[in-house]
Amino acid sequence: MTATEVQSVPLDQTGVRKAIAGIALELREGYVFPDMGEQAADALEKNLGENAYAGVTDPAQFALLLTEQLRAITQDSHMRVIFGSPFANQPPPSAPRDAGFEVKRLAGNIGYIHLAKFVPPEIFNSAADDAMRKLSDTAALIIDMRDNGGGHPASVAYLASFFLDPGKQVHLNDLIWRNRGTSTFRTESFWSSPTPVRYLGKPVYVLVGPKTYSAGEEFAYDLQVLKRVTVVGATTRGGANPGGLNDLGSDLFVVVPTGRAENPITRSNWGGVGVQPDVHATPESTQETAMALATGEITAIK
C-alpha cells in the first residue's frame, strides 16, 4: 500500500504535536550534522508555537509541508516525512526477491546492465555474479543507473569489485555515522572484494540522470574517482546522507540522516551537487551517446 492508498484519518493537534516532538528529538539526537539538527528542530518548534500547523488536518499534506520545511533548512534531500508506511506493501520474508538486474547484449558485442536498485548483499551478490558471467566476454559494458534510486552500500562495493584489480583491496567509500545523542562519530568502511569473474582492461560506461540517487550515485562516483569508468548523461540528484525510518504515530514517519558518505580520495561526496558526468548528454540521448563511445564512433574528452 502506498501513501496515496492509505486510508486517511484527519490529523488532530495532538497528533501534530506528537509528530513535531518526534522529529525534533531525531534531529537533535541523530542528525549527522548536530548543529544543523538543532537549528531545524528549533525552527519546527517555533512554527508549532506560532500555530503554523493549526489548520492542518490532512496527514499527507502535513508530511509534504514538513518535508519542504526540513529540506529548506538542511538542504538535505534524504530528509523527509512520509505518510503511510513504505513497508506496508513489502513481500513476506519467505517470498523470493528480485535483485533488479536487466541484462542484454547489444549490437557490436556491447554488454548492457540496467539496475534499478541495490538490494541487500544476500540477494544482490549472486544476481551480480550471474549478470557479469553472461557479459564477461563483451567488448565494452554499459551500466544503466538512470532509474537507480539507491539501496545497500555493501552491494555497491560488490558490483564495483568486478571492475577493479583483484590483486589488491581497494578502499571505495566510508560512511561516517553519528553516535546517537553525542557529537562523536564512527566510520564504516567499504572495500572491494573477491568476485567469480572480473571485467578488466575494457571500457565501462555508467549512465546517470536526474533520477539517479543515493547508492546509485555512489556507484558512479566511486568508480569515476578511480578513473575506471566513463560517466555519461546528466547530473544526478545529489543525496549522500543515509538514514533510517522513525515512527511518529498517526501513520507518519520521518527519515533523519544519521550518516554521510566520504570518499577516501576526495574526502568529499556528491551530496547537494550530484555526480557530474564525464560526457554530458540529454536523458533521451544518453544510451545512444554511450553506444557511440563504446563502438568508437565518438571519443570522450576528459
Side-chain angles (χ1 to χ4, degrees), residues 230-244:
T230 300
V231 178
V232 182
T235 303
T236 63
R237 279 181 63 192
N241 303 328

Side-chain angles (χ1 to χ4, degrees), residues 212-228:
T212 311
Y213 192 57
S214 194
E217 295 176 281
E218 190 213 323
F219 178 78
Y221 186 91
D222 290 350
L223 290 177
Q224 183 187 51
V225 168
L226 291 168
K227 303 187 187 306
R228 179 58 189 94

Side-chain angles (χ1 to χ4, degrees), residues 102-226:
E102 178 191 343
V103 179
K104 296 178 183 177
R105 192 177 291 256
L106 304 178
N109 196 28
I110 308 301
Y112 173 90
I113 294 173
H114 178 275
L115 187 62
K117 55 193 172 184
F118 283 96
V119 297
E122 58 269 22
I123 300 162
F124 183 88
N125 289 8
S126 60
D129 293 344
D130 186 52
M132 291 304 299
R133 284 191 185 102
K134 290 176 179 175
L135 299 176
S136 63
D137 64 339
T138 53
L141 183 62
I142 294 171
I143 304 178
D144 193 343
M145 292 282 165
R146 287 177 293 175
D147 298 315
N148 195 297
H152 203 292
S155 299
V156 174
Y158 188 74
L159 185 59
S161 301
F162 287 92
F163 310 105
L164 300 171
D165 181 357
K168 61 179 180 180
Q169 245 193 334
V170 179
H171 189 183
L172 292 163
N173 185 47
D174 287 330
L175 288 177
I176 313 299
W177 298 102
R178 181 181 175 187
N179 294 314
R180 188 173 178 83
T182 76
S183 291
T184 64
F185 301 84
R186 66 189 184 279
T187 300
E188 182 182 11
S189 295
F190 296 88
W191 298 72
S192 62
S193 58
T195 56
V197 295
R198 295 279 172 157
Y199 199 90
L200 304 175
K202 296 183 284 189
V204 178
Y205 303 92
V206 178
L207 311 188
V208 300
K211 293 194 289 185
T212 311
Y213 192 57
S214 194
E217 295 176 281
E218 190 213 323
F219 178 78
Y221 186 91
D222 290 350
L223 290 177
Q224 183 187 51
V225 168
L226 291 168

Side-chain angles (χ1 to χ4, degrees), residues 173 221-222 224-226 261-270:
N173 185 47
Y221 186 91
D222 290 350
Q224 183 187 51
V225 168
L226 291 168
E262 184 177 285
N263 183 274
I265 295 173
T266 66
R267 295 297 175 187
S268 185
N269 61 45
W270 57 95

